[in-house]
Amino acid sequence: MKTSAVEESVGYLIKRVQQNLRRTCDAALKPNRLSMAQYAALRALADHPNASAAELARLCFVTRQSLQDLLIGLRADGLGESAARPARGRAQSLRLTPAGRRRLADGHAAVLGVEAAMLSGISQREHRLLAALLTQCAANLEDRSGGVLQSADREAQ
Protein backbone atom coordinates (compact mmCIF):
# COMPACT_ATOMS: atom_id res chain seq x y z
CA MET A 1 0.00 0.00 0.00
CA LYS A 2 1.40 3.36 -1.05
CA THR A 3 1.70 6.06 1.63
CA SER A 4 0.08 9.42 1.09
CA ALA A 5 1.83 12.77 1.40
CA VAL A 6 0.07 13.30 4.72
CA GLU A 7 1.47 10.02 6.07
CA GLU A 8 4.96 11.24 5.18
CA SER A 9 4.51 14.65 6.85
CA VAL A 10 6.52 15.40 9.97
CA GLY A 11 3.44 16.12 12.10
CA TYR A 12 1.83 12.81 11.15
CA LEU A 13 5.05 10.91 11.83
CA ILE A 14 5.47 12.56 15.25
CA LYS A 15 1.91 11.57 16.15
CA ARG A 16 2.52 8.02 14.88
CA VAL A 17 5.65 7.71 17.04
CA GLN A 18 3.84 9.23 20.05
CA GLN A 19 0.90 6.82 19.76
CA ASN A 20 3.17 3.80 19.40
CA LEU A 21 5.44 4.99 22.21
CA ARG A 22 2.47 5.46 24.55
CA ARG A 23 0.99 2.06 23.71
CA THR A 24 4.33 0.27 24.05
CA CYS A 25 5.19 2.05 27.32
CA ASP A 26 1.77 1.23 28.77
CA ALA A 27 2.39 -2.45 27.94
CA ALA A 28 5.91 -2.35 29.41
CA LEU A 29 4.66 -0.62 32.58
CA LYS A 30 1.75 -3.03 33.12
CA PRO A 31 3.83 -5.59 35.10
CA ASN A 32 4.76 -2.69 37.43
CA ARG A 33 1.05 -1.88 37.85
CA LEU A 34 1.55 1.57 36.32
CA SER A 35 0.08 3.41 33.37
CA MET A 36 2.13 5.93 31.40
CA ALA A 37 0.14 8.73 33.06
CA GLN A 38 0.95 7.38 36.54
CA TYR A 39 4.59 6.93 35.60
CA ALA A 40 4.73 10.52 34.32
CA ALA A 41 3.23 11.80 37.58
CA LEU A 42 5.70 9.80 39.70
CA ARG A 43 8.58 11.01 37.51
CA ALA A 44 7.44 14.64 37.76
CA LEU A 45 7.02 14.41 41.55
CA ALA A 46 10.48 12.88 41.91
CA ASP A 47 12.21 15.31 39.55
CA HIS A 48 10.33 18.48 40.59
CA PRO A 49 9.28 18.12 44.26
CA ASN A 50 8.55 21.84 44.65
CA ALA A 51 6.61 22.30 41.41
CA SER A 52 3.19 23.91 41.48
CA ALA A 53 0.12 21.96 40.40
CA ALA A 54 0.11 23.85 37.09
CA GLU A 55 3.77 22.98 36.49
CA LEU A 56 3.19 19.31 37.34
CA ALA A 57 0.16 19.15 35.05
CA ARG A 58 2.24 20.63 32.20
CA LEU A 59 5.06 18.15 32.83
CA CYS A 60 2.55 15.26 32.76
CA PHE A 61 0.68 16.57 29.69
CA VAL A 62 -2.64 16.58 31.59
CA THR A 63 -5.10 19.15 32.91
CA ARG A 64 -4.91 20.24 36.54
CA GLN A 65 -8.10 18.25 37.24
CA SER A 66 -6.62 15.11 35.68
CA LEU A 67 -3.45 15.67 37.68
CA GLN A 68 -5.47 15.83 40.90
CA ASP A 69 -7.15 12.54 39.96
CA LEU A 70 -3.73 10.98 39.31
CA LEU A 71 -2.39 12.23 42.65
CA ILE A 72 -5.43 10.85 44.50
CA GLY A 73 -4.81 7.48 42.85
CA LEU A 74 -1.11 7.50 43.74
CA ARG A 75 -1.99 8.28 47.35
CA ALA A 76 -4.61 5.49 47.43
CA ASP A 77 -2.05 3.02 46.02
CA GLY A 78 0.45 3.97 48.73
CA LEU A 79 2.86 5.49 46.22
CA GLY A 80 2.49 9.03 47.51
CA GLU A 81 1.85 10.67 50.84
CA SER A 82 1.20 14.15 52.09
CA ALA A 83 4.32 16.26 52.30
CA ALA A 84 5.24 17.77 55.65
CA ARG A 85 4.18 21.18 54.37
CA PRO A 86 2.44 22.17 51.16
CA ALA A 87 4.70 23.09 48.29
CA ARG A 88 4.24 26.41 46.54
CA GLY A 89 0.93 26.52 44.71
CA ARG A 90 -0.16 22.99 45.52
CA ALA A 91 -2.97 22.59 48.05
CA GLN A 92 -2.42 18.83 48.38
CA SER A 93 1.35 18.50 48.34
CA LEU A 94 2.48 14.98 47.69
CA ARG A 95 5.82 13.26 47.98
CA LEU A 96 6.78 9.78 46.94
CA THR A 97 6.75 7.01 49.50
CA PRO A 98 9.51 4.39 49.51
CA ALA A 99 7.07 2.13 47.62
CA GLY A 100 6.50 4.94 45.12
CA ARG A 101 10.24 5.37 44.59
CA ARG A 102 10.66 1.62 44.01
CA ARG A 103 7.73 1.51 41.58
CA LEU A 104 9.15 4.56 39.78
CA ALA A 105 12.60 2.94 39.49
CA ASP A 106 11.08 -0.26 38.08
CA GLY A 107 8.86 1.74 35.73
CA HIS A 108 11.77 3.90 34.62
CA ALA A 109 13.75 0.81 33.66
CA ALA A 110 10.79 -0.37 31.57
CA VAL A 111 10.43 3.00 29.84
CA LEU A 112 14.17 3.17 29.13
CA GLY A 113 13.90 -0.28 27.53
CA VAL A 114 11.13 0.94 25.25
CA GLU A 115 13.11 4.04 24.34
CA ALA A 116 16.19 1.93 23.56
CA ALA A 117 14.10 -0.25 21.25
CA MET A 118 12.63 2.84 19.58
CA LEU A 119 16.10 4.26 18.95
CA SER A 120 17.53 0.99 17.67
CA GLY A 121 19.66 1.60 14.59
CA ILE A 122 20.05 5.31 15.37
CA SER A 123 23.58 6.46 16.24
CA GLN A 124 24.35 8.60 19.31
CA ARG A 125 25.00 11.53 17.00
CA GLU A 126 21.63 11.05 15.27
CA HIS A 127 19.95 10.66 18.67
CA ARG A 128 21.36 14.00 19.84
CA LEU A 129 20.34 15.62 16.53
CA LEU A 130 16.81 14.17 16.76
CA ALA A 131 16.48 15.42 20.35
CA ALA A 132 17.73 18.88 19.36
CA LEU A 133 15.36 19.07 16.39
CA LEU A 134 12.35 17.96 18.41
CA THR A 135 13.25 20.41 21.17
CA GLN A 136 13.38 23.20 18.59
CA CYS A 137 10.02 22.13 17.11
CA ALA A 138 8.44 22.16 20.58
CA ALA A 139 9.94 25.56 21.39
CA ASN A 140 8.72 26.98 18.07
CA LEU A 141 5.16 25.88 18.82
CA GLU A 142 5.30 26.91 22.48
CA ASP A 143 6.59 30.36 21.52
CA ARG A 144 3.90 30.70 18.90
CA SER A 145 1.04 29.53 21.12
CA GLY A 146 2.30 31.75 23.93
CA GLY A 147 2.36 34.70 21.56
CA VAL A 148 -1.12 33.92 20.25
CA LEU A 149 -2.47 33.57 23.79
CA GLN A 150 -0.80 36.78 24.90
CA SER A 151 -2.27 38.65 21.92
CA ALA A 152 -5.73 37.27 22.68
CA ASP A 153 -5.36 38.32 26.32
CA ARG A 154 -4.40 41.87 25.28
CA GLU A 155 -7.35 42.06 22.88
CA ALA A 156 -9.75 40.91 25.61
CA GLN A 157 -8.64 43.77 27.88
Side-chain angles (χ1 to χ4, degrees):
M1 179 177 186
K2 186 179 176 196
T3 59
S4 71
V6 169
E7 292 168 318
E8 294 174 354
S9 73
V10 173
Y12 180 90
L13 292 170
I14 288 171
K15 183 63 176 176
R16 180 178 164 198
V17 169
Q18 185 272 330
Q19 289 291 101
N20 283 303
L21 179 63
R22 173 75 185 246
R23 187 183 70 249
T24 308
C25 282
D26 274 335
L29 288 165
K30 193 171 186 173
N32 298 304
R33 299 183 324 272
L34 287 175
S35 68
M36 191 62 185
Q38 291 167 318
Y39 166 79
L42 290 173
R43 179 86 271 149
L45 285 167
D47 292 346
H48 305 278
N50 295 318
S52 69
E55 291 164 335
L56 286 173
R58 183 184 52 77
L59 290 165
C60 296
F61 302 103
V62 297
T63 64
R64 285 182 67 174
Q65 179 58 48
S66 294
L67 174 72
Q68 291 308 313
D69 294 343
L70 276 170
L71 298 181
I72 289 167
L74 294 177
R75 188 185 312 259
D77 289 345
L79 304 178
E81 63 188 3
S82 295
R85 63 174 204 236
R88 169 182 64 86
R90 243 192 314 154
Q92 296 182 340
S93 247
L94 200 68
R95 67 175 179 211
L96 298 183
T97 63
R101 290 197 180 282
R102 283 191 301 276
R103 187 91 57 94
L104 174 59
D106 293 343
H108 190 63
V111 168
L112 287 178
V114 171
E115 185 171 307
M118 178 182 71
L119 295 171
S120 177
I122 295 176
S123 71
Q124 283 291 344
R125 182 180 164 281
E126 291 167 327
H127 176 184
R128 286 190 304 273
L129 177 60
L130 177 60
L133 292 170
L134 290 172
T135 299
Q136 183 63 55
C137 289
N140 290 345
L141 292 174
E142 289 161 359
D143 290 347
R144 182 174 180 170
S145 66
V148 170
L149 293 174
Q150 291 168 3
S151 297
D153 287 344
R154 279 194 299 271
E155 288 173 16
Q157 293 175 352

